[in-house]
Amino acid sequence: MIVVDKVVKRYSTRKGKNTVLDGVSFRVRKGEKIGILGRNGTGKSTLIRLLGGIEKPDSGHIKRSMSVSWPLASTGGFQGSLTGMDNLRFICRLYGVSTEDKIPFVEEFSELGSYLREPVKTYSSGMKGRLAFALSMAIEFDCYLIDEAMSAGDARFREKCSYELLDKRSDRSIILVSHEPKQMRSFCNVFYVLKNGQLSRFEEADSAYAFYQESVHN
């Protein structure tokens, strides 16, 4: 389980402190598929970074009793001067898992061929996305974080990603944040809407979407 308890996150701006999350509390249970809706700039990505441990809250607590992924398909942690294979080895060392049994999966899933042994800084954005998703799936987690849609590659590759995550790992928890409600219908069974630093919970999609639409126009 993940327990988020009265979490506050603020950032400094030229006009002073901007409170992005203002006492947010919720729980993520094993196998739960959570969708978090919100307009651009409401703090969805901030919440994902906090859940993944990339940032720390200014106050409140996040307690994790299950393993949590980094944001899926995120390329921000790559070392550009290293090859894709070297990045795989680095991540495996970081998480304390073996590398050799992960190499065949990453080679097959990323579809990068010989580029896997070239520096990541030479990759296109699509190639980086495919590598990032392959690395995300190579290491098993109890809960997977998704910041916006799974957008790496073409439609065929996105379908492949969806099968790997949603079908083969159907027993895992998922937290998907987005401002596009349609992306969540097939993924999620619990919904939150982030507005003015607060989360509102909904048990079914239509109510969440209606509240979200209201927030967009107000």
Side-chain angles (χ1 to χ4, degrees), residues 50-115:
L50 291 170
L51 291 169
I54 299 170
E55 294 189 35
K56 295 185 180 298
D58 292 311
S59 64
H61 303 280
I62 300 177
K63 299 179 181 178
R64 306 170 187 85
S65 57
M66 56 184 178
S67 60
V68 182
S69 77
W70 61 86
L72 260 59
S74 171
T75 62
F78 285 152
Q79 297 296 319
S81 60
L82 299 180
T83 67
M85 190 66 71
D86 288 336
N87 273 278
L88 167 61
R89 292 190 176 98
F90 173 76
I91 289 172
C92 286
R93 286 199 300 272
L94 189 64
Y95 282 89
V97 297
S98 65
T99 302
E100 294 309 310
D101 61 331
K102 308 295 187 299
I103 292 175
F105 173 84
V106 172
E107 287 180 325
E108 187 279 328
F109 196 89
S110 68
E111 302 176 3
L112 289 173
S114 61
Y115 281 101

